[in-house]
Amino acid sequence: MSQDSAIRREVTVKLLKGLHLRPLAMIVRMAMQFDSTITLTNGSKTVNARNQMDLMLLNAGNGSKIVVEAEGADAPQAVEEMARLFDSDFDGDDLIDT
Amino acid sequence: MKLSDFVVPEAILADLQVESKTGAIRAMVEALKNSGAIKPEDESSIVDAVLKREELGSTGIGNGVAVPHTKHPSVDRLIATVALAKSGIDFASLDGEDVFILFLLVSPPDRPGDHLRGLENISRHLRNQNFCSFLRQARSGEEVVELLTEADGDQLN
């Protein structure tokens, strides 16, 4: 994505189990609501936020710093909503035993 | 962690023919029981646990793959099996597509990292187009085992 038009925000994983399947599915469902291209980056690994299998490769444990990047007409909302999701408890994920 | 460390070769179903997600899960757990990897008395509670996990959100992760899983006290290490469904099964995947490759994992409750590492391992290999397409073409458990070994040795790149 070009540097100029992409919107970027750093978020932190605040889940005891890290970004496992369940929160990843929530990320995919969130990403699907927007037209923008959305990626997540952990270290040097960047993946498409709409692809759950790719998201699993992020290997993002508790405390990981993730960069959310979106490009497109609704990029600001996409980044905002994604950041809000990371700030939330992913619907009580820590309390659920999967 | 290698695929061949935790996939139970005798429980592999190279030609799964079921109509439903539930049918697929039952068949895979039954295969684990038939192989001796799980005890007969634990079979139904493992099926229940896997189905309960599905209620939290489908493990159909897209690209024709599903990874149903559960923790269960009856196992002391991560075990898994593979099933290939040539006609596809509706797994309520997020991408809306049927699944053709299923990995079912059962892990011990006191080692939460195990099944996550198992899933990451499986995902990493499934991103390899060769692995996916050879897997879908495999006609026997032996062929699947060979493929897993080759994937472990990074021989499919």
Side-chain angles (χ1 to χ4, degrees), chain A residues 17 20-22 25 28-29 32 51-54 56-57 59 96-98, chain B residues 53 56 60-61 63 65 67 69 71 94 115-116 119-120 123-124 126-127:
Chain A
K17 299 188 277 287
H20 63 115
L21 257 187
R22 186 178 170 271
V28 173
R29 279 196 288 268
M32 278 167 149
N51 189 311
Q52 198 173 3
M53 218 153 73
D54 277 352
M56 285 169 78
L57 300 175
N59 221 332
I96 293 178
D97 185 23
T98 57
Chain B
R53 170 56 188 86
L56 288 181
I61 54 176
N63 299 95
V65 178
V67 288
H69 58 271
K71 296 199 197 85
L94 276 177
H115 88 268
L116 289 177
L119 288 174
E120 278 155 25
S123 286
R124 188 166 38 84
L126 284 168
R127 289 323 277 151

Side-chain angles (χ1 to χ4, degrees), chain A residues 72-86:
Chain A
D74 53 13
Q77 296 95 303
V79 168
E80 188 61 47
E81 289 302 311
M82 201 58 82
R84 197 172 302 177
L85 182 59
F86 272 83

Side-chain angles (χ1 to χ4, degrees), chain B residues 102-139:
Chain B
L102 301 91
F103 278 81
L104 185 139
L105 296 82
V106 187
S107 59
D110 56 348
R111 301 224 293 263
D114 279 11
H115 88 268
L116 289 177
R117 268 190 295 279
L119 288 174
E120 278 155 25
N121 198 335
I122 288 165
S123 286
R124 188 166 38 84
H125 288 299
L126 284 168
R127 289 323 277 151
N128 179 329
Q129 274 297 90
N130 287 338
F131 182 64
C132 265
S133 66
F134 290 158
L135 201 50
R136 284 182 64 165
Q137 288 167 54
R139 287 156 307 180

Side-chain angles (χ1 to χ4, degrees), chain B:
Chain B
M1 183 190 269
K2 296 184 176 177
L3 293 168
S4 33
D5 287 342
F6 58 93
V7 173
V8 179
E10 300 80 10
I12 294 174
L13 299 170
D15 188 20
L16 180 65
Q17 296 193 17
V18 293
E19 299 293 315
S20 66
K21 178 198 265 215
T22 308
I25 289 166
R26 283 192 199 287
M28 294 178 83
V29 177
E30 188 187 15
L32 282 171
K33 176 204 69 184
N34 290 340
S35 74
I38 62 168
K39 298 194 211 75
E41 57 265 32
D42 294 320
E43 184 182 357
S44 83
S45 81
I46 291 175
V47 170
D48 287 347
V50 174
L51 289 173
K52 195 155 166 240
R53 170 56 188 86
E54 288 301 311
E55 279 168 32
L56 288 181
S58 172
T59 60
I61 54 176
N63 299 95
V65 178
V67 288
H69 58 271
T70 188
K71 296 199 197 85
H72 200 271
S74 64
V75 302
D76 57 7
R77 61 178 187 95
L78 172 65
I79 56 168
T81 184
V82 185
L84 307 172
K86 304 221 174 350
S87 329
I89 299 171
D90 179 0
F91 229 77
S93 300
L94 276 177
D95 70 355
E97 302 292 328
D98 281 354
V99 303
F100 299 89
I101 298 172
L102 301 91
F103 278 81
L104 185 139
L105 296 82
V106 187
S107 59
D110 56 348
R111 301 224 293 263
D114 279 11
H115 88 268
L116 289 177
R117 268 190 295 279
L119 288 174
E120 278 155 25
N121 198 335
I122 288 165
S123 286
R124 188 166 38 84
H125 288 299
L126 284 168
R127 289 323 277 151
N128 179 329
Q129 274 297 90
N130 287 338
F131 182 64
C132 265
S133 66
F134 290 158
L135 201 50
R136 284 182 64 165
Q137 288 167 54
R139 287 156 307 180
S140 68
E142 288 80 15
E143 280 183 35
V144 174
V145 171
E146 248 181 68
L147 208 41
L148 298 182
T149 310
E150 282 170 22
D152 283 336
D154 284 328
Q155 287 162 16
L156 294 172
N157 301 321

